[in-house]
Amino acid sequence: MKNMKNLKDRQNTPLGRIYFFSLACIVFVYLTIFFIIYPPRPFNTTLMEDITQEALPTKHDKDRRCDLFRGRWIRDLNRSIYTNETCPTIPVSKNCGRHGRSDTEYLQWRWKPDECELPRFQPENFLRLVRGKKMAFIGDSVARNQMESLLCLLSQAETPIDTYKDSEDRDRTWHFPTHNFTLMVIWTKFLVPATERLTNGTSSGDYDLQIDSPDPAWASKLPSPIDYIVLSDGHWFFRKLYLHNSNNSIIGCVFCSEPDTNHLGPAHAIGLTLRTALHFLKKYNEHTTTIVRTFSPSHFENGVWNTGGTCNRTWPLREGDVDLKGYELEVRGAQVEELERVRVGGGRIGVVDVTKMMLVRADGHPGVHWDNQYMKGYSDCVHWCLPGPIDAWNELLLAVIAGLS
């Protein structure tokens, strides 16, 4: 009792009040820092701790079906399963940490669907699903970017063997011998044949597209059988294009000013070329699973790639800062429309819908941290750092493949 009286007397002195106020402030600051570093995880609406057929929404389990693409990014300080030092196949141009990017906050987010939990990528589970199979990514350099992300993820379980590279290093093939899994990327600008127009013998950047047939640059290179195709496209369409049908008649153009010509937007052209590719693949092999990855947004600010545009953000945008009526979602809409059109006739068709989820990830691009010796000073705000938010695409890809299996 005497000790308690002394404590109360000490609290009632000016020095005592300062002491206890300081102690309370220290405790408050400590707790605040603790919860910032270790934020509480949200309640998981389903128990999906591992990738299993039972734990994923499947086409046969409609009661548990979840829209994997409607959700939000939440903090996760232990996000990536690899680093730029532990991936043996990481490309130089996507190795942002090597080229001076020192911030790491962009790595500390995971995609959380609203109605379920997207499992953390387990390379062993992916390789088990694709054992003895072949998978091809078909599209532009962003398709290559996703394939490179998948390589880094899978290399944490098995080191792949580089078995093929073309003379321009656009087409690559890798093999995982333990699982007899072949992974390849086949590069194409437009999915259909394209010829660049010349002006006085010089490249103009304008193209003529034959929209009624697939580009033989990829269509003729597909192995038979091929089990999985991940199809994507889009970034080459934002230029002057002339679209021709099988009779070589111009049916429309993009970004052109010629009179008496049907003026089309890039989204319309992207939809037409995707339609051609999907119809070809549907006839190619009925056992092939085709997965469309929707348009990946870029995030140039204060200009575009060749006018000083940059992307220096280190934190995701707020959804309220994103234009939900922009061209990105228009392109995504055209792609989904064509996907649904070809689904009507049946077949093994899936989608990895990344457009809206990536609109807020302006923090995930290389920016100036890509060390391209031919384009010094230009920012890359189209592709994605490795590791980075693009790794979530392959978590979604794994979920889609498991759901279609």
Side-chain angles (χ1 to χ4, degrees):
M1 295 295 293
K2 185 175 181 180
N3 290 337
M4 290 295 295
K5 184 176 183 302
N6 291 337
L7 179 62
K8 290 180 179 179
D9 291 342
R10 198 178 306 159
Q11 287 177 318
N12 291 328
T13 66
L15 185 61
R17 286 194 292 271
I18 293 174
Y19 170 79
F20 284 102
F21 177 75
S22 300
L23 181 62
C25 288
I26 291 171
V27 172
F28 174 77
V29 170
Y30 174 81
L31 290 173
T32 300
I33 293 174
F34 178 84
F35 282 108
I36 290 175
I37 297 177
Y38 303 103
R41 298 274 179 102
F43 176 74
N44 293 336
T45 56
T46 58
L47 297 176
M48 290 186 174
E49 297 178 356
D50 195 10
I51 298 275
T52 64
Q53 185 66 17
E54 292 74 28
L56 287 165
T58 73
K59 61 182 179 180
H60 302 300
D61 191 8
K62 296 185 189 269
D63 292 337
R64 299 180 62 191
R65 182 181 288 273
C66 163
D67 186 348
L68 295 170
F69 314 114
R70 183 183 298 275
R72 65 196 187 281
W73 293 93
I74 63 174
R75 291 300 300 276
D76 186 339
L77 301 188
N78 301 310
R79 185 68 208 116
S80 181
I81 70 169
Y82 70 95
T83 70
N84 64 327
E85 295 180 347
T86 63
C87 172
T89 61
I90 190 169
V92 172
S93 62
K94 310 306 182 300
N95 191 342
C96 302
R98 175 180 173 180
H99 299 302
R101 181 161 188 176
S102 58
D103 64 297
T104 58
E105 288 84 358
Y106 71 100
L107 301 173
Q108 298 170 357
W109 300 87
R110 68 182 176 91
W111 178 249
K112 170 68 175 70
D114 288 337
E115 300 174 351
C116 60
E117 191 72 22
L118 180 65
R120 186 179 176 87
F121 191 94
Q122 296 290 338
E124 298 85 357
N125 290 335
F126 191 102
L127 288 168
R128 186 169 63 246
L129 273 175
V130 297
R131 182 184 293 275
K133 299 184 184 300
K134 296 182 178 70
M135 174 181 288
F137 284 79
I138 299 173
D140 56 23
S141 56
V142 182
R144 168 85 172 247
N145 199 178
Q146 183 181 1
M147 189 278 295
E148 291 165 340
S149 162
L150 183 57
L151 270 177
C152 283
L153 292 163
L154 296 179
S155 70
Q156 305 309 294
E158 181 183 351
T159 302
I161 298 173
D162 187 355
T163 61
Y164 174 76
K165 177 172 69 173
D166 71 355
S167 60
E168 296 182 311
D169 192 17
R170 287 178 169 173
D171 298 348
R172 296 289 294 268
T173 302
W174 301 79
H175 188 244
F176 294 79
T178 301
H179 294 82
N180 190 26
F181 171 55
T182 299
L183 179 63
M184 63 184 68
V185 60
I186 306 175
W187 189 82
T188 174
K189 291 185 179 84
F190 301 103
L191 297 179
V192 299
T195 304
E196 186 172 9
R197 292 189 172 190
L198 301 179
T199 302
N200 297 324
T202 303
S203 299
S204 67
D206 305 339
Y207 286 83
D208 289 288
L209 274 55
Q210 302 290 334
I211 64 166
D212 290 339
S213 61
D215 183 358
W218 65 266
S220 65
K221 296 176 182 177
L222 289 179
S224 183
I226 179 78
D227 302 282
Y228 298 102
I229 290 175
V230 183
L231 196 64
S232 60
D233 209 6
H235 287 281
W236 280 85
F237 286 79
F238 295 87
R239 65 189 67 230
K240 187 178 289 188
L241 304 174
Y242 297 88
L243 279 57
H244 302 254
N245 61 18
S246 57
N247 296 322
N248 207 31
S249 299
I250 295 179
I251 65 167
C253 62
V254 177
F255 294 128
C256 66
S257 56
E258 286 83 347
D260 302 322
T261 303
N262 187 19
H263 292 196
L264 307 173
H268 192 149
I270 291 169
L272 290 176
T273 58
L274 179 61
R275 180 186 305 177
T276 296
L278 288 173
H279 280 296
F280 170 80
L281 290 172
K282 191 170 185 178
K283 297 176 181 178
Y284 180 77
N285 190 324
E286 63 180 5
H287 300 295
T288 298
T289 297
T290 300
I291 298 168
V292 174
R293 192 264 299 154
T294 63
F295 186 69
S296 169
S298 59
H299 292 92
F300 289 99
E301 297 183 59
N302 305 311
V304 293
W305 72 271
N306 60 349
T307 62
T310 59
C311 45
N312 301 322
R313 295 181 182 268
T314 60
W315 201 264
L317 299 170
R318 295 175 299 178
E319 188 163 324
D321 295 330
V322 170
D323 181 6
L324 297 180
K325 295 182 180 180
Y327 72 89
E328 298 93 346
L329 292 177
E330 182 183 2
V331 172
R332 179 259 179 200
Q335 292 173 319
V336 171
E337 181 180 344
E338 295 304 327
L339 180 72
E340 294 302 326
R341 186 194 304 270
V342 81
R343 267 180 171 168
V344 171
R348 300 174 60 82
I349 305 289
V351 63
V352 174
D353 189 355
V354 304
T355 308
K356 187 174 180 181
M357 65 183 277
M358 300 306 289
L359 280 172
V360 300
R361 294 311 308 267
D363 57 328
H365 300 287
V368 296
H369 306 292
W370 64 308
D371 193 37
N372 187 314
Q373 58 181 322
Y374 304 107
M375 300 181 69
K376 290 288 187 183
Y378 289 92
S379 291
D380 182 358
C381 305
V382 173
H383 303 96
W384 304 90
C385 291
L386 297 178
I390 193 173
D391 295 326
W393 300 6
N394 290 314
E395 289 179 329
L396 292 166
L397 177 63
L398 175 50
V400 170
I401 289 174
L404 292 170
S405 298

